[in-house]
Amino acid sequence: MQAIVIQARLFTGSSPAEIESGERKLSALLSALVILDLEWIRTHPRTPELYRSGVVYRREPPPREVWQDIPTAMARGHADCEDLASWRCAEVRARRNVKVRPIPQGRRGPDGALHYHIVCRWPDGTIEDPSKRLGMGGPNDR
């Protein structure tokens, strides 16, 4: 099957309303990736847990952002924050029945632009960062 590509302009302005709208759209896309990963886990129950899969964090070069589902990440051997957080949330939901969700954390870079990093939020508010656990900030972070 061919890849499906969604092209979206999520952050087209800098007003608070435009940023809030972009964050809602980003959250919707993250939810969709979790659903895709959940379906993969349900139909492929032998899928390894993320932290035992051998997949490592690797930053994508800007300006393009490619979102990978579990089989794509496993085939490539690396993924970035939205891919890893979505996989982790899906596996926890499927195997522990705990509704962990991916959330965007925004911050302004030195250039003044808003940048997002995706992490997992547990129901008790605990934040888990699969990217850091799998090498972000280390030698695979190129």
Side-chain angles (χ1 to χ4, degrees), residues 91-126:
E91 79 182 14
V92 171
R93 288 182 187 187
R95 295 180 174 146
R96 296 188 201 172
N97 198 28
V98 176
K99 191 168 182 183
V100 177
R101 61 187 180 96
I103 61 161
Q105 293 184 325
R107 64 177 168 72
R108 296 237 177 246
D111 58 356
L114 194 54
H115 300 272
Y116 286 91
H117 178 60
I118 311 303
V119 296
C120 301
R121 176 177 281 153
W122 288 71
D124 67 0
T126 301

Side-chain angles (χ1 to χ4, degrees), residues 27-122:
S27 292
L29 289 171
L30 288 166
S31 294
L33 186 54
V34 170
I35 291 167
L36 294 174
D37 286 346
L38 262 171
E39 185 60 26
W40 177 265
I41 291 168
R42 287 180 180 141
T43 58
H44 298 84
R46 291 184 170 192
T47 300
E49 291 181 2
L50 173 61
Y51 297 138
R52 296 176 186 218
S53 69
V55 172
V56 298
Y57 172 84
R58 185 176 297 164
R59 178 184 314 183
E60 285 182 77
R64 198 158 176 229
E65 184 62 42
V66 177
W67 288 32
Q68 302 176 158
D69 60 4
I70 290 172
T72 304
M74 287 192 307
R76 291 183 177 176
H78 60 84
D80 70 357
C81 65
E82 77 282 348
D83 314 315
L84 298 172
S86 295
W87 180 346
R88 178 66 175 150
C89 290
E91 79 182 14
V92 171
R93 288 182 187 187
R95 295 180 174 146
R96 296 188 201 172
N97 198 28
V98 176
K99 191 168 182 183
V100 177
R101 61 187 180 96
I103 61 161
Q105 293 184 325
R107 64 177 168 72
R108 296 237 177 246
D111 58 356
L114 194 54
H115 300 272
Y116 286 91
H117 178 60
I118 311 303
V119 296
C120 301
R121 176 177 281 153
W122 288 71

